[in-house]
Amino acid sequence: MRGNERGAKSALRDRLLPETIRHAEAIPFYAEHWGRSASGEIATTDALARLPVVGRDELAEHGDRMVHPGRTPSVMLHSTGTTTGQPVRRFRCAEELAALDSFRHRLSAKARARRGESNPIVHFTTLSARHHGAVLGARTGAQRAVSLSLLTAREVERSVALLARDRLFPDLPEHFCEYELSGSPQDLTLLATVLSEPGNEAARRRIRRIVAVADFLSRAQQDLLTRTVPESRRVVHRYSLSEVAGGATRCERCSLFHFDAIVVPEVVPLDGGDPVREGVGRLVLTELYPFSQAQPLIRYDTGDLVEAVRSDCDAGELSVALLGRTALVPTVRARGGRVPVFRPYALRETAERLPDLCHAPVSSLAPWQSTAGTIPLVACEFRPAAGRAPHRLTVRAAVGFPPRLLPEAAAGVLEQLRAAVLASSPELMHLVTECACELRIEITGDSSAVPPLATR
């Protein structure tokens, strides 16, 4: 952001923030957590940094005390994070759900009018309310919603049959309906693989939009979806959380994530301090009134590692690149601050492009268990510095040939993988160049010895 330049979304957030703070002050948790009245002090989003950050552990422990006494929760969402394992109960009330629906329908109507679209939308999703906040971050202006399950081979077959079936809703002109499909990247790649098989043309012919949520969608996964479901006009990557009403969308032009107007994003340095407009840090989000009322989250640490980057596509606003999960990324001191040792998402995308690496299957469900997926079998192990020994990062990968029998091919893969690892992380490149970290690259022909690259 240059000077005092502010975007239209920031202006809207500034208008909504004072009421958000006044509303939160009536909540016992925030009255105690802040230790003072903040309504007169926090008038714009730039002043939010004066308030403390709330973490997932606090949400899990004090969730009941974070409920507004003047709101009656009508929906309870249960979420267990894969990183912490602590169950979180999130409450939503009728007032905020109505505000969210109204806001999203208005946005969808404007976007569809701009594109000249008028057919009814039926939204199919593989996400449950318990798993991801009633898909608040995925459904956009749909007239109907259908839940799909892919937990067993039989459920996959039923989901494909639902997509192929005519007249799902008697009151909608079925031949004019357009289908919108949302789910986690792994669910979507499984379903797309099945839909691409002969005989399933009818199931995929109406899919016009695919929305990936709940996890990182790599470029290889996006290419797979585009290739296997060519009828889809768009594959959208949404950043969203089960805890937060609102998120961000990856821009098709600049590849950065631009945030919804109903949340306030901040990037806080890894070693603390004031939010930054450029650089690596932790992503902190604030839900705004009236879109979060029953149990609003003010300055919530999402647990995501991001890089704030300027973008002309969303001028005057904060845009980010997703790097990984803070709980899974080791950090060290360098250049006067704390930096990540490597960037898991970027490493995954570079490793996906190496042809000799093995990949995890799309699913263990028969008969698709032999279908190769996009997640490379790559594992990272970090050992911090001890005594005079520098930090050490060991990257181990599985390849599709026996390295000892083909030493020249093995040497080529080792060189390619090393270059890919360094290119994926400027922080690691600096550490290795300064001899502050040793980078070891290992390969094996045993695919069972290396798990898929963990990014969540």
Side-chain angles (χ1 to χ4, degrees):
M1 187 175 297
R2 294 178 292 275
N4 294 322
E5 178 188 354
R6 296 179 69 77
K9 289 189 288 189
S10 288
L12 174 61
R13 293 168 185 143
D14 283 346
R15 292 201 300 271
L16 298 178
L17 186 60
E19 183 59 29
T20 299
I21 299 300
R22 283 193 293 271
H23 182 78
E25 282 187 322
I27 298 173
F29 171 81
Y30 286 115
E32 179 181 326
H33 190 58
W34 295 344
R36 65 187 189 282
S37 175
S39 57
E41 180 185 358
I42 312 300
T44 67
T45 54
D46 288 339
L48 269 174
R50 301 174 189 173
L51 299 176
V53 171
V54 174
R56 186 181 177 88
D57 290 344
E58 290 169 298
L59 177 58
E61 183 178 355
H62 305 291
D64 291 349
R65 298 182 63 248
M66 297 174 71
V67 176
H68 194 284
R71 296 294 183 271
T72 301
S74 59
V75 177
M76 193 275 281
L77 309 174
H78 178 273
S79 174
T80 300
T82 56
T83 302
T84 64
Q86 286 189 289
V88 170
R89 291 194 302 166
R90 285 292 282 135
F91 297 100
R92 300 287 179 195
C93 63
E95 293 90 342
E96 65 188 85
L97 291 175
L100 280 166
D101 279 345
S102 175
F103 180 77
R104 289 199 168 100
H105 275 281
R106 289 199 304 273
L107 286 182
S108 176
K110 289 181 180 179
R112 300 192 76 207
R114 195 165 55 245
R115 295 192 296 263
E117 300 173 355
S118 59
N119 292 344
I121 296 176
V122 179
H123 183 92
F124 293 81
T125 182
T126 68
L127 297 179
S128 69
R130 293 189 309 277
H131 177 60
H132 209 261
V135 295
L136 292 174
R139 186 180 173 187
T140 53
Q143 281 69 35
R144 299 290 188 275
V146 180
S147 293
L148 304 177
S149 179
L150 308 177
L151 296 179
T152 67
R154 179 59 180 154
E155 288 179 344
V156 173
E157 293 175 1
R158 288 174 179 171
S159 295
V160 173
L162 274 176
L163 287 166
R165 183 178 175 182
D166 288 330
R167 305 290 301 173
L168 274 177
F169 297 96
D171 61 323
L172 291 182
E174 198 67 26
H175 292 292
F176 297 98
C177 285
E178 295 190 353
Y179 289 175
E180 180 181 76
L181 176 63
S182 72
S184 69
Q186 194 67 1
D187 282 350
L188 292 174
T189 52
L190 166 62
L191 193 55
T193 301
V194 179
L195 289 174
S196 66
E197 296 176 352
N200 289 333
E201 293 82 0
R204 69 171 188 260
R205 68 173 183 264
R206 294 196 191 101
I207 299 177
R208 292 295 179 266
R209 186 169 181 262
I210 297 176
V211 185
V213 290
D215 204 346
F216 180 75
L217 177 73
S218 71
R219 290 299 181 184
Q221 287 176 319
Q222 183 164 343
D223 291 344
L224 184 149
L225 294 175
T226 302
R227 184 173 63 253
T228 54
V229 189
E231 293 84 355
S232 174
R233 297 194 193 108
R234 291 184 67 202
V235 176
V236 180
H237 186 185
R238 279 283 297 171
Y239 168 80
S240 58
L241 297 156
S242 58
E243 305 98 291
V244 178
T249 302
R250 184 161 64 186
C251 178
E252 296 175 354
R253 287 179 292 182
C254 71
S255 296
L256 297 175
F257 283 82
H258 305 317
F259 289 89
D260 303 337
I262 63 175
V263 292
V264 182
E266 300 174 88
V267 176
V268 179
L270 295 179
D271 48 2
D274 293 332
V276 297
R277 287 289 175 178
E278 290 184 279
V280 174
R282 298 175 290 127
L283 179 62
V284 172
L285 294 180
T286 294
E287 297 180 308
L288 291 170
Y289 185 94
F291 308 107
S292 183
Q293 301 182 38
Q295 193 187 29
L297 292 179
I298 312 295
R299 302 205 77 210
Y300 177 69
D301 188 336
T302 64
D304 284 299
L305 181 70
V306 300
E307 181 180 16
V309 183
R310 296 180 188 272
S311 171
D312 292 334
C313 297
D314 202 20
E317 306 291 353
L318 177 68
S319 298
V320 303
L322 298 182
L323 306 185
R325 295 286 292 173
T326 55
L328 298 178
V329 182
T331 63
V332 298
R333 287 217 151 266
R335 296 182 176 181
R338 189 155 289 277
V339 300
V341 174
F342 65 99
R343 300 183 174 195
Y345 294 156
L347 173 57
R348 175 175 163 179
E349 291 196 314
T350 56
E352 284 173 338
R353 294 192 290 266
L354 300 181
D356 292 310
L357 298 192
C358 294
H359 296 79
V362 170
S363 172
S364 60
L365 302 175
W368 311 289
Q369 57 185 358
S370 61
T371 303
T374 63
I375 305 176
L377 300 184
V378 175
C380 298
E381 181 182 351
F382 177 70
R383 190 199 70 179
R388 294 185 177 182
H391 304 296
R392 178 194 296 169
L393 178 66
T394 302
V395 179
R396 195 162 190 257
V399 295
F401 62 88
R404 291 185 179 180
L405 296 182
L406 299 170
E408 290 185 4
V413 173
L414 287 170
E415 183 179 350
Q416 291 175 354
L417 184 56
R418 180 181 180 84
V421 173
L422 290 173
S424 69
S425 172
E427 294 86 4
L428 179 60
M429 178 73 80
H430 172 77
L431 291 170
V432 172
T433 302
E434 296 296 318
C435 298
C437 182
E438 176 190 358
L439 176 61
R440 289 189 178 181
I441 306 294
E442 301 175 356
I443 59 174
T444 176
D446 182 5
S447 60
S448 65
V450 184
L453 181 59
T455 55
R456 297 292 291 182

